[in-house]
Amino acid sequence: MRRLAKKYVVPHRGNEFRPYLLRATGLLCILGVIMGVFFASNAYRMFLRGSDFIASVLPTVLVDLANADRSAYKLGGLTLNPLLQETARLKAEDMAVKGYFAHYSPEGVSPWHFFDATGYAFVYAGENLAVNFDDSSAVNAAWMNSPDHRANILNGNFTEVGIATAKGMYEGRETLFVVEMFGSPAPIRQALAVQVEAKGASRSSTPTSAEKTEQTPVVVVASSSVLGEETGNQLFVSAQNANATDGKEVAAADTLPSVPDYASFMDRSLTSPTRLLSLAYTLIITILLVVLFFVLIVGHKKRGHHFFYLVILFLIIGGTYYAYKFSLQSKVNLNTATATSSAGDR
């Protein structure tokens, strides 16, 4: 193994100071691997687009990614709440069935209706939406690159999250709608009152015009609408309960117990062709850096040529990687909303 590594990586008299990886055949093989991984990642994206796997695994992966972002900003982690997951599912299915992508449905139903429908009483609530994606990392990155969506993910008032997906038609193509619902639960007494009322009302996820008015009074905290076509349509809404009785922000991350990971390393990788591409390119770059190290420390006449070849390979890797990421970002459409609301005494 050592002799083989020396033959392919280290310039010395035995290989005429021309490591086999830096000869014409070796360079073509490396270039073939770089481009092969690039096209394989694109093919895998196409596969995920028509697969049910990403729909079943994506929610837990996005929770982990959101918590990683919050941890980086010294914020407490979000815990999965079954009611919020059901809330997100109702909204996702409503968009999928009706073919719209917005916080407010074509009938004018707001995001906060779905909180009432499941009986989730909140002090603060928020909603992030995405469509036209096929990579979990791309969705989270797109949200974090949008100031309004990032504000929801990094909102210190939110303590819980629920994420769901649904397949449907949007703008003439089948796609996967993803809904990320944030919440800060109301005190137990108020929450129980809301849940009892929700069960008694037995409201569906597609209310009639008579049901458009939310039972929970909501104060919109922030909102923004359509951005440029090139970056996709984005909408942000944030609200607070008008009768809120508990407006405390969450404690910093170092004062809270750690939140467990909800998705395995394999799940995170398999739902993200970008992650797989990154891992493959990292391995290739590591090998090339080892070659570069020996090229620089071993004195020989061909050092300049070898350095030039390696620089070109690094540029190709960087160029293809960022071209790949740009193609993902440009296809993701986003919406976000935030509200503050509380159940009050009912």
Side-chain angles (χ1 to χ4, degrees):
M1 185 68 180
R2 185 176 178 180
R3 285 184 60 188
L4 193 63
K6 186 176 181 180
K7 178 180 178 180
Y8 279 87
V9 173
V10 183
H12 58 89
R13 291 186 183 277
N15 58 19
E16 301 176 341
F17 295 100
R18 294 176 63 201
Y20 278 44
L21 281 180
L22 296 182
R23 297 187 180 191
T25 303
L27 291 171
L28 287 174
C29 287
I30 294 173
L31 184 60
V33 171
I34 292 171
M35 300 310 297
V37 171
F38 175 78
F39 288 114
S41 297
N42 278 288
Y44 186 53
R45 281 171 55 191
M46 299 295 292
F47 165 76
L48 287 180
R49 192 173 298 170
S51 170
D52 291 331
F53 171 74
I54 194 170
S56 61
V57 177
L58 181 74
T60 55
V61 173
L62 288 178
V63 173
D64 286 346
L65 292 173
N67 279 335
D69 291 328
R70 289 173 67 90
S71 177
Y73 284 85
K74 306 299 182 183
L75 293 169
L78 301 168
T79 56
L80 276 171
N81 182 291
L83 275 180
L84 273 181
Q85 286 181 292
E86 177 64 10
T87 302
R89 185 189 67 80
L90 291 179
K91 176 58 181 286
E93 290 187 352
D94 194 55
M95 288 193 297
V97 169
K98 298 175 182 177
Y100 72 94
F101 179 61
H103 293 294
Y104 285 79
S105 74
E107 298 84 7
V109 178
S110 83
W112 324 122
H113 159 80
F114 300 96
F115 286 83
D116 284 336
T118 58
Y120 184 88
F122 63 89
V123 176
Y124 297 96
E127 177 184 80
N128 280 352
L129 307 177
V131 73
N132 293 341
F133 72 93
D134 41 32
D135 188 299
S136 57
S137 296
V139 176
N140 187 73
W143 278 338
M144 287 299 290
N145 288 335
S146 166
D148 295 331
H149 296 79
R150 183 173 65 247
N152 264 353
I153 293 175
L154 302 181
N155 191 324
N157 293 314
F158 298 146
T159 59
E160 297 178 338
V161 68
I163 302 176
T165 62
K167 277 188 176 181
M169 297 295 295
Y170 178 64
E171 295 184 340
R173 59 171 284 192
E174 185 178 57
T175 188
L176 196 65
F177 296 87
V178 61
V179 178
E180 185 174 44
M181 293 292 198
F182 302 92
S184 176
I188 294 177
R189 179 170 57 85
Q190 297 179 4
L192 288 175
V194 172
Q195 291 173 23
V196 168
E197 181 174 324
K199 290 180 180 179
S202 298
R203 282 176 286 178
S204 68
S205 62
T206 54
T208 64
S209 58
E211 295 173 313
K212 290 180 185 177
T213 303
E214 283 73 21
Q215 298 300 309
T216 300
V218 170
V219 175
V220 174
V221 175
S223 65
S224 69
S225 54
V226 181
L227 295 181
E229 285 292 330
E230 293 181 359
T231 55
N233 295 326
Q234 301 182 15
L235 179 68
F236 173 81
V237 179
S238 178
Q240 180 177 359
N241 190 329
N243 297 331
T245 59
D246 183 5
K248 297 178 181 178
E249 292 192 354
V250 240
D254 55 3
T255 67
L256 295 173
S258 60
V259 178
D261 290 340
Y262 292 101
S264 66
F265 173 82
M266 186 64 69
D267 287 340
R268 295 190 201 107
S269 298
L270 291 179
T271 59
S272 176
T274 304
R275 188 184 181 94
L276 293 176
L277 181 67
S278 177
L279 291 173
Y281 276 4
T282 298
L283 178 60
I284 296 172
I285 288 173
T286 301
I287 295 172
L288 294 180
L289 285 174
V290 172
V291 177
L292 177 62
F293 172 76
F294 286 109
V295 165
L296 293 177
I297 66 170
V298 177
H300 59 286
K301 295 181 180 179
K302 298 181 177 66
R303 179 187 290 173
H305 291 86
H306 293 163
F307 182 79
F308 175 76
Y309 297 151
L310 288 168
V311 169
I312 293 298
L313 290 174
F314 286 132
L315 290 175
I316 291 173
I317 291 174
T320 53
Y321 181 74
Y322 284 105
Y324 183 89
K325 289 194 69 175
F326 178 78
S327 70
L328 288 176
Q329 297 283 341
S330 64
K331 292 180 180 178
V332 178
N333 289 42
L334 305 176
N335 273 336
T336 187
T338 309
T340 305
S341 181
S342 175
D345 296 327
R346 298 189 176 197

